[in-house]
Amino acid sequence: MSENKENFTVTFARGFGTGGKEIAAKLAKDLGINCYENRILTLASQMSGLDEEVFREVDEKIRSRGGFSSFLKGLPKSKSYIARNEKFVSDDKLFEYQSKIIKNLAENESCVIVGKCADFVLRGNPRVVSVYVEAPRDFCLKRTMEKMGVTAEVAAATISQTDKFRADYYEYYTGGNYWTNPVNYDITLNSEKIGIDGCVEMVKHLLKVKELI
């Protein structure tokens, strides 16, 4: 599938508690484009279950420009695609469908995609900017305690378990690549030092440098 020369995609990978999801959502809002995360998993889960009705509906939406994103937006958000106390278990069929959805989104509209190895799935596409967001543990711990309303102990365990899940997920589906390797991304941001709004502006600047906006 050839890249649409007008569309661009920003992918985000992020450590838990860094504010990466917030940065991605704010960037999408500022640019007037959609931000996708858990709805991709919701649809991929349905598709990997070989629900023929879902297949038919998705095929129709993909053929209609803009229809696919509306279809995705209408899906319920997956409440928690990561079970905080579970280890990563591979699901190749699920990843296959997620990858198809990600590629379709990149082809049909400008958008922001959070997680799902989107940087790897869209590698080689010149109209993609890949971002990794990280921050010191104390910063992530404080944010997690505030956002989740939990103790420092629970927050620390959640950060460790979730980041381990993401690292294992990335390593498995990329064939051994390491999730936090800066070479994987166009830019790596420290959200504590730059701030949420500063990170958004940095990504916008990179999009301008690459002449995507």
Side-chain angles (χ1 to χ4, degrees):
M1 187 178 290
S2 62
E3 293 91 8
N4 186 307
K5 300 304 181 184
E6 296 178 356
N7 296 336
F8 65 88
T9 307
V10 184
T11 71
F12 275 85
R14 74 285 184 219
F16 192 87
T18 61
K21 186 176 177 181
E22 183 180 343
I23 293 165
K26 182 170 176 52
L27 175 70
K29 183 178 180 181
D30 286 1
L31 295 175
I33 60 179
N34 292 314
C35 181
Y36 297 104
E37 188 194 14
N38 288 354
R39 286 190 178 91
I40 290 175
L41 186 98
T42 301
L43 180 56
S45 296
Q46 292 176 319
M47 293 175 72
S48 64
L50 303 180
D51 185 330
E52 293 184 8
E53 186 61 35
V54 173
F55 273 123
R56 285 195 293 271
E57 191 166 0
V58 170
D59 284 342
E60 291 173 3
K61 297 300 183 183
I62 289 174
R63 283 196 292 270
S64 171
R65 184 173 177 82
F68 185 49
S69 61
S70 297
F71 176 75
L72 264 182
K73 288 170 70 177
L75 289 171
K77 287 187 177 181
S78 174
K79 291 183 179 179
S80 179
Y81 71 93
I82 293 177
R84 307 300 179 196
N85 60 349
E86 288 185 6
K87 293 181 180 179
F88 165 70
V89 178
S90 64
D91 187 335
D92 292 349
K93 181 62 69 173
L94 184 62
F95 186 75
E96 177 187 341
Y97 285 120
Q98 283 181 184
S99 297
K100 288 180 180 178
I101 293 165
I102 288 167
K103 289 175 182 177
N104 277 319
L105 287 171
E107 171 67 15
N108 288 295
E109 64 172 289
S110 294
C111 60
V112 173
I113 302 176
V114 182
K116 313 294 183 293
C117 294
D119 62 286
F120 178 78
V121 172
L122 297 175
R123 65 193 183 283
N125 186 331
R127 299 194 64 79
V128 173
V129 165
S130 55
V131 182
Y132 179 72
V133 183
E134 195 50 277
R137 176 55 66 94
D138 286 347
F139 176 81
C140 297
L141 193 66
K142 183 179 179 182
R143 275 186 59 91
T144 301
M145 291 170 65
E146 291 174 352
K147 295 286 184 180
M148 297 180 64
V150 295
T151 64
E153 183 179 9
V154 172
T158 300
I159 292 169
S160 295
Q161 290 166 1
T162 306
D163 283 354
K164 177 66 164 57
F165 184 104
R166 290 174 178 172
D168 290 347
Y169 181 99
Y170 195 90
E171 182 177 4
Y172 179 83
Y173 288 118
T174 62
N177 206 334
Y178 192 62
W179 175 49
T180 59
N181 184 354
V183 176
N184 298 338
Y185 308 100
D186 291 298
I187 189 171
T188 299
L189 301 171
N190 183 327
S191 55
E192 180 190 47
K193 291 186 176 181
I194 306 174
I196 299 298
D197 291 339
C199 287
V200 172
E201 293 305 314
M202 290 281 284
V203 179
K204 285 183 188 175
H205 178 69
L206 181 56
L207 285 166
K208 290 176 182 176
V209 169
K210 295 190 72 171
E211 299 183 344
L212 297 179
I213 61 172

mmCIF file of all heavy atoms in Angstrom, residues 112-150:
data_model
loop_
_atom_site.group_PDB
_atom_site.id
_atom_site.type_symbol
_atom_site.label_atom_id
_atom_site.label_comp_id
_atom_site.label_asym_id
_atom_site.label_seq_id
_atom_site.Cartn_x
_atom_site.Cartn_y
_atom_site.Cartn_z
ATOM 1 N N VAL A 112 -2.469 10.364 15.244
ATOM 2 C CA VAL A 112 -1.502 10.028 16.288
ATOM 3 C C VAL A 112 -1.857 8.632 16.785
ATOM 4 O O VAL A 112 -3.029 8.340 17.027
ATOM 5 C CB VAL A 112 -1.575 11.035 17.453
ATOM 6 C CG1 VAL A 112 -0.681 10.589 18.613
ATOM 7 C CG2 VAL A 112 -1.175 12.434 16.975
ATOM 8 N N ILE A 113 -0.859 7.768 16.915
ATOM 9 C CA ILE A 113 -1.091 6.404 17.380
ATOM 10 C C ILE A 113 -0.194 6.132 18.580
ATOM 11 O O ILE A 113 1.026 6.317 18.504
ATOM 12 C CB ILE A 113 -0.831 5.371 16.276
ATOM 13 C CG1 ILE A 113 -1.729 5.650 15.068
ATOM 14 C CG2 ILE A 113 -1.065 3.954 16.803
ATOM 15 C CD1 ILE A 113 -1.470 4.741 13.874
ATOM 16 N N VAL A 114 -0.811 5.698 19.672
ATOM 17 C CA VAL A 114 -0.080 5.455 20.917
ATOM 18 C C VAL A 114 0.155 3.961 21.096
ATOM 19 O O VAL A 114 -0.780 3.160 21.062
ATOM 20 C CB VAL A 114 -0.860 6.000 22.129
ATOM 21 C CG1 VAL A 114 -0.071 5.778 23.418
ATOM 22 C CG2 VAL A 114 -1.164 7.488 21.950
ATOM 23 N N GLY A 115 1.425 3.587 21.321
ATOM 24 C CA GLY A 115 1.762 2.205 21.600
ATOM 25 C C GLY A 115 1.607 1.284 20.408
ATOM 26 O O GLY A 115 1.705 1.689 19.251
ATOM 27 N N LYS A 116 1.383 -0.004 20.691
ATOM 28 C CA LYS A 116 1.111 -1.047 19.682
ATOM 29 C C LYS A 116 2.268 -1.282 18.720
ATOM 30 O O LYS A 116 2.085 -1.778 17.612
ATOM 31 C CB LYS A 116 -0.147 -0.703 18.869
ATOM 32 C CG LYS A 116 -1.357 -0.258 19.678
ATOM 33 C CD LYS A 116 -1.882 -1.376 20.542
ATOM 34 C CE LYS A 116 -3.136 -0.943 21.288
ATOM 35 N NZ LYS A 116 -2.896 0.100 22.299
ATOM 36 N N CYS A 117 3.494 -0.890 19.094
ATOM 37 C CA CYS A 117 4.658 -1.029 18.200
ATOM 38 C C CYS A 117 4.437 -0.282 16.889
ATOM 39 O O CYS A 117 4.955 -0.681 15.832
ATOM 40 C CB CYS A 117 4.967 -2.484 17.896
ATOM 41 S SG CYS A 117 5.522 -3.474 19.288
ATOM 42 N N ALA A 118 3.659 0.792 16.936
ATOM 43 C CA ALA A 118 3.305 1.501 15.703
ATOM 44 C C ALA A 118 4.533 2.021 14.963
ATOM 45 O O ALA A 118 4.562 2.051 13.728
ATOM 46 C CB ALA A 118 2.347 2.647 16.009
ATOM 47 N N ASP A 119 5.564 2.423 15.704
ATOM 48 C CA ASP A 119 6.783 2.900 15.051
ATOM 49 C C ASP A 119 7.403 1.785 14.211
ATOM 50 O O ASP A 119 7.900 2.018 13.107
ATOM 51 C CB ASP A 119 7.792 3.403 16.088
ATOM 52 C CG ASP A 119 8.228 2.300 17.052
ATOM 53 O OD1 ASP A 119 7.427 1.927 17.926
ATOM 54 O OD2 ASP A 119 9.352 1.803 16.912
ATOM 55 N N PHE A 120 7.363 0.563 14.721
ATOM 56 C CA PHE A 120 7.913 -0.592 14.007
ATOM 57 C C PHE A 120 7.025 -0.984 12.836
ATOM 58 O O PHE A 120 7.512 -1.256 11.731
ATOM 59 C CB PHE A 120 8.065 -1.774 14.965
ATOM 60 C CG PHE A 120 8.573 -3.030 14.313
ATOM 61 C CD1 PHE A 120 9.921 -3.176 14.016
ATOM 62 C CD2 PHE A 120 7.702 -4.059 13.992
ATOM 63 C CE1 PHE A 120 10.398 -4.327 13.405
ATOM 64 C CE2 PHE A 120 8.170 -5.214 13.384
ATOM 65 C CZ PHE A 120 9.518 -5.351 13.088
ATOM 66 N N VAL A 121 5.734 -1.003 13.063
ATOM 67 C CA VAL A 121 4.778 -1.374 12.009
ATOM 68 C C VAL A 121 4.892 -0.423 10.818
ATOM 69 O O VAL A 121 4.802 -0.849 9.660
ATOM 70 C CB VAL A 121 3.336 -1.358 12.563
ATOM 71 C CG1 VAL A 121 2.315 -1.555 11.440
ATOM 72 C CG2 VAL A 121 3.167 -2.433 13.631
ATOM 73 N N LEU A 122 5.132 0.861 11.090
ATOM 74 C CA LEU A 122 5.184 1.870 10.028
ATOM 75 C C LEU A 122 6.612 2.239 9.634
ATOM 76 O O LEU A 122 6.829 3.252 8.955
ATOM 77 C CB LEU A 122 4.428 3.127 10.477
ATOM 78 C CG LEU A 122 2.932 2.944 10.749
ATOM 79 C CD1 LEU A 122 2.329 4.228 11.296
ATOM 80 C CD2 LEU A 122 2.185 2.495 9.492
ATOM 81 N N ARG A 123 7.577 1.435 10.047
ATOM 82 C CA ARG A 123 8.979 1.732 9.736
ATOM 83 C C ARG A 123 9.172 1.833 8.213
ATOM 84 O O ARG A 123 8.547 1.117 7.434
ATOM 85 C CB ARG A 123 9.898 0.652 10.304
ATOM 86 C CG ARG A 123 9.727 -0.710 9.686
ATOM 87 C CD ARG A 123 10.432 -1.775 10.512
ATOM 88 N NE ARG A 123 10.346 -3.111 9.886
ATOM 89 C CZ ARG A 123 9.278 -3.879 9.911
ATOM 90 N NH1 ARG A 123 8.168 -3.465 10.506
ATOM 91 N NH2 ARG A 123 9.311 -5.084 9.351
ATOM 92 N N GLY A 124 10.002 2.767 7.823
ATOM 93 C CA GLY A 124 10.258 2.961 6.395
ATOM 94 C C GLY A 124 9.318 3.941 5.726
ATOM 95 O O GLY A 124 9.568 4.366 4.598
ATOM 96 N N ASN A 125 8.244 4.307 6.412
ATOM 97 C CA ASN A 125 7.307 5.289 5.868
ATOM 98 C C ASN A 125 7.867 6.687 6.144
ATOM 99 O O ASN A 125 8.025 7.079 7.305
ATOM 100 C CB ASN A 125 5.932 5.125 6.536
ATOM 101 C CG ASN A 125 4.869 6.023 5.925
ATOM 102 O OD1 ASN A 125 5.167 7.099 5.411
ATOM 103 N ND2 ASN A 125 3.620 5.584 6.003
ATOM 104 N N PRO A 126 8.193 7.453 5.104
ATOM 105 C CA PRO A 126 8.811 8.765 5.308
ATOM 106 C C PRO A 126 7.881 9.801 5.930
ATOM 107 O O PRO A 126 8.337 10.864 6.356
ATOM 108 C CB PRO A 126 9.227 9.178 3.893
ATOM 109 C CG PRO A 126 8.251 8.471 3.002
ATOM 110 C CD PRO A 126 8.010 7.149 3.672
ATOM 111 N N ARG A 127 6.593 9.498 6.003
ATOM 112 C CA ARG A 127 5.633 10.454 6.544
ATOM 113 C C ARG A 127 5.207 10.072 7.957
ATOM 114 O O ARG A 127 4.110 10.376 8.402
ATOM 115 C CB ARG A 127 4.431 10.585 5.603
ATOM 116 C CG ARG A 127 4.824 11.081 4.218
ATOM 117 C CD ARG A 127 3.640 11.537 3.412
ATOM 118 N NE ARG A 127 2.967 12.687 3.981
ATOM 119 C CZ ARG A 127 3.396 13.948 3.874
ATOM 120 N NH1 ARG A 127 4.517 14.231 3.236
ATOM 121 N NH2 ARG A 127 2.710 14.934 4.423
ATOM 122 N N VAL A 128 6.121 9.424 8.659
ATOM 123 C CA VAL A 128 5.888 9.038 10.050
ATOM 124 C C VAL A 128 6.960 9.663 10.943
ATOM 125 O O VAL A 128 8.147 9.633 10.617
ATOM 126 C CB VAL A 128 5.925 7.502 10.218
ATOM 127 C CG1 VAL A 128 5.849 7.124 11.693
ATOM 128 C CG2 VAL A 128 4.773 6.861 9.457
ATOM 129 N N VAL A 129 6.519 10.234 12.047
ATOM 130 C CA VAL A 129 7.432 10.715 13.090
ATOM 131 C C VAL A 129 7.207 9.847 14.327
ATOM 132 O O VAL A 129 6.077 9.731 14.806
ATOM 133 C CB VAL A 129 7.176 12.201 13.428
ATOM 134 C CG1 VAL A 129 7.861 12.583 14.733
ATOM 135 C CG2 VAL A 129 7.673 13.094 12.300
ATOM 136 N N SER A 130 8.257 9.224 14.802
ATOM 137 C CA SER A 130 8.139 8.341 15.964
ATOM 138 C C SER A 130 8.752 9.008 17.191
ATOM 139 O O SER A 130 9.855 9.545 17.135
ATOM 140 C CB SER A 130 8.812 7.000 15.694
ATOM 141 O OG SER A 130 10.154 7.180 15.293
ATOM 142 N N VAL A 131 8.012 8.958 18.283
ATOM 143 C CA VAL A 131 8.390 9.658 19.516
ATOM 144 C C VAL A 131 8.447 8.673 20.678
ATOM 145 O O VAL A 131 7.588 7.801 20.810
ATOM 146 C CB VAL A 131 7.354 10.763 19.849
ATOM 147 C CG1 VAL A 131 7.764 11.520 21.112
ATOM 148 C CG2 VAL A 131 7.185 11.714 18.668
ATOM 149 N N TYR A 132 9.475 8.816 21.503
ATOM 150 C CA TYR A 132 9.540 8.048 22.752
ATOM 151 C C TYR A 132 9.593 9.041 23.909
ATOM 152 O O TYR A 132 10.400 9.974 23.893
ATOM 153 C CB TYR A 132 10.763 7.137 22.787
ATOM 154 C CG TYR A 132 10.874 6.354 24.081
ATOM 155 C CD1 TYR A 132 10.004 5.302 24.347
ATOM 156 C CD2 TYR A 132 11.817 6.682 25.046
ATOM 157 C CE1 TYR A 132 10.078 4.594 25.531
ATOM 158 C CE2 TYR A 132 11.908 5.982 26.234
ATOM 159 C CZ TYR A 132 11.029 4.934 26.471
ATOM 160 O OH TYR A 132 11.098 4.237 27.651
ATOM 161 N N VAL A 133 8.723 8.849 24.895
ATOM 162 C CA VAL A 133 8.657 9.743 26.054
ATOM 163 C C VAL A 133 9.096 8.984 27.300
ATOM 164 O O VAL A 133 8.573 7.909 27.602
ATOM 165 C CB VAL A 133 7.228 10.289 26.259
ATOM 166 C CG1 VAL A 133 7.207 11.269 27.431
ATOM 167 C CG2 VAL A 133 6.722 10.966 24.990
ATOM 168 N N GLU A 134 10.044 9.557 28.020
ATOM 169 C CA GLU A 134 10.512 8.959 29.267
ATOM 170 C C GLU A 134 10.703 10.060 30.298
ATOM 171 O O GLU A 134 10.659 11.248 29.972
ATOM 172 C CB GLU A 134 11.815 8.188 29.022
ATOM 173 C CG GLU A 134 12.212 7.231 30.134
ATOM 174 C CD GLU A 134 11.097 6.301 30.579
ATOM 175 O OE1 GLU A 134 10.279 6.752 31.419
ATOM 176 O OE2 GLU A 134 11.028 5.162 30.106
ATOM 177 N N ALA A 135 10.873 9.671 31.563
ATOM 178 C CA ALA A 135 11.076 10.630 32.652
ATOM 179 C C ALA A 135 11.673 9.878 33.835
ATOM 180 O O ALA A 135 11.556 8.651 33.928
ATOM 181 C CB ALA A 135 9.745 11.281 33.048
ATOM 182 N N PRO A 136 12.303 10.608 34.779
ATOM 183 C CA PRO A 136 12.849 9.961 35.972
ATOM 184 C C PRO A 136 11.762 9.249 36.773
ATOM 185 O O PRO A 136 10.598 9.653 36.762
ATOM 186 C CB PRO A 136 13.441 11.136 36.758
ATOM 187 C CG PRO A 136 13.738 12.168 35.723
ATOM 188 C CD PRO A 136 12.633 12.036 34.718
ATOM 189 N N ARG A 137 12.143 8.200 37.479
ATOM 190 C CA ARG A 137 11.175 7.389 38.216
ATOM 191 C C ARG A 137 10.383 8.207 39.243
ATOM 192 O O ARG A 137 9.177 8.001 39.398
ATOM 193 C CB ARG A 137 11.903 6.237 38.911
ATOM 194 C CG ARG A 137 11.008 5.352 39.806
ATOM 195 C CD ARG A 137 9.813 4.787 39.073
ATOM 196 N NE ARG A 137 10.152 3.848 38.029
ATOM 197 C CZ ARG A 137 10.205 2.531 38.190
ATOM 198 N NH1 ARG A 137 9.909 1.995 39.360
ATOM 199 N NH2 ARG A 137 10.524 1.762 37.184
ATOM 200 N N ASP A 138 11.020 9.133 39.946
ATOM 201 C CA ASP A 138 10.309 9.926 40.957
ATOM 202 C C ASP A 138 9.164 10.719 40.339
ATOM 203 O O ASP A 138 8.081 10.838 40.929
ATOM 204 C CB ASP A 138 11.282 10.886 41.668
ATOM 205 C CG ASP A 138 12.204 10.167 42.632
ATOM 206 O OD1 ASP A 138 11.942 8.976 42.938
ATOM 207 O OD2 ASP A 138 13.187 10.781 43.077
ATOM 208 N N PHE A 139 9.403 11.267 39.165
ATOM 209 C CA PHE A 139 8.387 12.029 38.449
ATOM 210 C C PHE A 139 7.222 11.118 38.061
ATOM 211 O O PHE A 139 6.049 11.456 38.263
ATOM 212 C CB PHE A 139 9.010 12.659 37.204
ATOM 213 C CG PHE A 139 8.040 13.392 36.310
ATOM 214 C CD1 PHE A 139 7.649 14.689 36.606
ATOM 215 C CD2 PHE A 139 7.539 12.794 35.159
ATOM 216 C CE1 PHE A 139 6.758 15.380 35.781
ATOM 217 C CE2 PHE A 139 6.658 13.465 34.324
ATOM 218 C CZ PHE A 139 6.269 14.763 34.633
ATOM 219 N N CYS A 140 7.542 9.947 37.524
ATOM 220 C CA CYS A 140 6.512 8.983 37.108
ATOM 221 C C CYS A 140 5.734 8.471 38.316
ATOM 222 O O CYS A 140 4.511 8.272 38.244
ATOM 223 C CB CYS A 140 7.155 7.810 36.370
ATOM 224 S SG CYS A 140 7.978 8.275 34.836
ATOM 225 N N LEU A 141 6.440 8.275 39.401
ATOM 226 C CA LEU A 141 5.807 7.781 40.631
ATOM 227 C C LEU A 141 4.776 8.788 41.145
ATOM 228 O O LEU A 141 3.640 8.426 41.476
ATOM 229 C CB LEU A 141 6.880 7.529 41.690
ATOM 230 C CG LEU A 141 6.480 6.733 42.920
ATOM 231 C CD1 LEU A 141 6.146 5.297 42.543
ATOM 232 C CD2 LEU A 141 7.609 6.743 43.950
ATOM 233 N N LYS A 142 5.163 10.043 41.198
ATOM 234 C CA LYS A 142 4.272 11.087 41.685
ATOM 235 C C LYS A 142 3.042 11.211 40.789
ATOM 236 O O LYS A 142 1.903 11.300 41.281
ATOM 237 C CB LYS A 142 5.011 12.424 41.743
ATOM 238 C CG LYS A 142 4.167 13.564 42.301
ATOM 239 C CD LYS A 142 4.963 14.859 42.360
ATOM 240 C CE LYS A 142 4.102 16.005 42.890
ATOM 241 N NZ LYS A 142 4.854 17.285 42.914
ATOM 242 N N ARG A 143 3.255 11.215 39.472
ATOM 243 C CA ARG A 143 2.132 11.321 38.532
ATOM 244 C C ARG A 143 1.183 10.135 38.675
ATOM 245 O O ARG A 143 -0.034 10.296 38.660
ATOM 246 C CB ARG A 143 2.654 11.391 37.096
ATOM 247 C CG ARG A 143 3.047 12.782 36.635
ATOM 248 C CD ARG A 143 3.408 12.750 35.153
ATOM 249 N NE ARG A 143 2.300 12.267 34.344
ATOM 250 C CZ ARG A 143 1.363 13.047 33.796
ATOM 251 N NH1 ARG A 143 1.409 14.355 33.982
ATOM 252 N NH2 ARG A 143 0.395 12.523 33.079
ATOM 253 N N THR A 144 1.740 8.953 38.821
ATOM 254 C CA THR A 144 0.912 7.745 38.927
ATOM 255 C C THR A 144 0.098 7.762 40.208
ATOM 256 O O THR A 144 -1.085 7.398 40.214
ATOM 257 C CB THR A 144 1.796 6.483 38.868
ATOM 258 O OG1 THR A 144 2.516 6.475 37.625
ATOM 259 C CG2 THR A 144 0.962 5.218 38.972
ATOM 260 N N MET A 145 0.708 8.183 41.314
ATOM 261 C CA MET A 145 -0.013 8.279 42.584
ATOM 262 C C MET A 145 -1.175 9.254 42.477
ATOM 263 O O MET A 145 -2.281 8.982 42.958
ATOM 264 C CB MET A 145 0.945 8.713 43.698
ATOM 265 C CG MET A 145 1.975 7.659 44.072
ATOM 266 S SD MET A 145 3.267 8.297 45.187
ATOM 267 C CE MET A 145 2.281 8.669 46.655
ATOM 268 N N GLU A 146 -0.944 10.390 41.814
ATOM 269 C CA GLU A 146 -1.975 11.413 41.673
ATOM 270 C C GLU A 146 -3.083 10.968 40.729
ATOM 271 O O GLU A 146 -4.274 11.137 41.022
ATOM 272 C CB GLU A 146 -1.345 12.713 41.170
ATOM 273 C CG GLU A 146 -0.437 13.392 42.186
ATOM 274 C CD GLU A 146 0.295 14.593 41.606
ATOM 275 O OE1 GLU A 146 0.213 14.806 40.370
ATOM 276 O OE2 GLU A 146 0.951 15.316 42.373
ATOM 277 N N LYS A 147 -2.702 10.383 39.586
ATOM 278 C CA LYS A 147 -3.678 9.993 38.574
ATOM 279 C C LYS A 147 -4.526 8.803 39.018
ATOM 280 O O LYS A 147 -5.734 8.739 38.747
ATOM 281 C CB LYS A 147 -2.966 9.650 37.262
ATOM 282 C CG LYS A 147 -2.257 10.823 36.596
ATOM 283 C CD LYS A 147 -3.239 11.770 35.946
ATOM 284 C CE LYS A 147 -2.504 12.876 35.198
ATOM 285 N NZ LYS A 147 -3.448 13.827 34.549
ATOM 286 N N MET A 148 -3.893 7.833 39.689
ATOM 287 C CA MET A 148 -4.585 6.610 40.069
ATOM 288 C C MET A 148 -5.111 6.625 41.498
ATOM 289 O O MET A 148 -5.911 5.770 41.882
ATOM 290 C CB MET A 148 -3.651 5.414 39.879
ATOM 291 C CG MET A 148 -3.228 5.175 38.443
ATOM 292 S SD MET A 148 -2.112 3.737 38.259
ATOM 293 C CE MET A 148 -3.203 2.388 38.777
ATOM 294 N N GLY A 149 -4.646 7.600 42.286
ATOM 295 C CA GLY A 149 -5.063 7.679 43.681
ATOM 296 C C GLY A 149 -4.586 6.483 44.501
ATOM 297 O O GLY A 149 -5.345 5.917 45.283
ATOM 298 N N VAL A 150 -3.327 6.101 44.299
ATOM 299 C CA VAL A 150 -2.781 4.924 44.978
ATOM 300 C C VAL A 150 -1.550 5.301 45.799
ATOM 301 O O VAL A 150 -1.030 6.411 45.693
ATOM 302 C CB VAL A 150 -2.400 3.829 43.959
ATOM 303 C CG1 VAL A 150 -3.647 3.315 43.238
ATOM 304 C CG2 VAL A 150 -1.377 4.346 42.946
#
